[in-house]
Amino acid sequence: MARILILNGPNLNLLGTREPEVYGTETLADIQSLCEKTAQPLGLTVDFRQSNHEGDIVSAIHEVVKGGFAGIIINAGAYTHTSVAILDALLAVKVPVVEVHLSNIFRREEFRHHSFVSTAARGVICGFGSQGYALALQTFVKKG
Ligand code: CA2
């Protein structure tokens, strides 16, 4: 079974407690559960993590090779728009990366329109809430 590392960045642990009009009412635990349920019939397993610390996210990305992960799904939160360190780590590990955002970052403030993560990503899914994570998992299913 292919293992997929799902990384969540700062403040995503607050999901479901504030700003439901932007991020919905689901908690991060709900999204983890959705990912686990989605992954199983697709023949994937997931390692679902969240950190508020940039260096922890960089270190988690480094684990991809040792951990035998087939790919990364990442919602880097606000670090999306600021972190060259996360971009460099993603470029270094050479596994497929899918970038996910709950909100449509292009309908929001201008500073959210640029993503460093996108430079390393095979694709980007944004604006579909938690469904974006399920869609991202489907991209790791081998066809044919
Ligand atoms: O839309 C997304 O998934 C974001 O990655 C979420 C980040 C934001 O900085 C990005 O521009 C877009 C913020 C996550 C903060 O989540 C909260 C949830 C509830 C209450 C407060 C923050």
Side-chain angles (χ1 to χ4, degrees), residues 81 99 101 103-109 112-113 115 126:
H81 318 296
E99 177 180 0
H101 298 285
S103 63
N104 179 352
I105 55 176
F106 300 103
R107 288 186 71 178
R108 301 184 65 194
E109 304 96 321
R112 296 186 203 273
H113 297 182
S115 164
C126 75

Side-chain angles (χ1 to χ4, degrees), residues 9-20 22-24 75-81 100-105 108-109 111-112 126-127 133:
N11 297 310
L12 286 161
N13 54 312
L14 299 177
L15 281 177
T17 64
R18 278 171 254 163
E19 298 191 60
V22 182
Y23 299 117
N75 181 352
Y79 288 143
T80 302
H81 318 296
V100 170
H101 298 285
L102 296 161
S103 63
N104 179 352
I105 55 176
R108 301 184 65 194
E109 304 96 321
F111 68 84
R112 296 186 203 273
C126 75
Y133 288 74

Side-chain angles (χ1 to χ4, degrees), residues 50-124:
Q50 188 272 336
S51 175
N52 292 321
H53 305 282
E54 187 175 22
D56 288 349
I57 297 169
V58 169
S59 296
I61 294 166
H62 293 171
E63 279 179 43
V64 151
V65 177
K66 197 177 60 185
F69 289 98
I72 299 174
I73 295 171
I74 182 164
N75 181 352
Y79 288 143
T80 302
H81 318 296
T82 63
S83 181
V84 177
I86 290 174
L87 167 60
D88 285 346
L90 291 170
L91 290 172
V93 294
K94 296 185 183 3
V95 297
V97 174
V98 179
E99 177 180 0
V100 170
H101 298 285
L102 296 161
S103 63
N104 179 352
I105 55 176
F106 300 103
R107 288 186 71 178
R108 301 184 65 194
E109 304 96 321
E110 187 100 23
F111 68 84
R112 296 186 203 273
H113 297 182
H114 177 263
S115 164
F116 282 101
V117 171
S118 294
T119 307
R122 191 167 63 172
V124 183

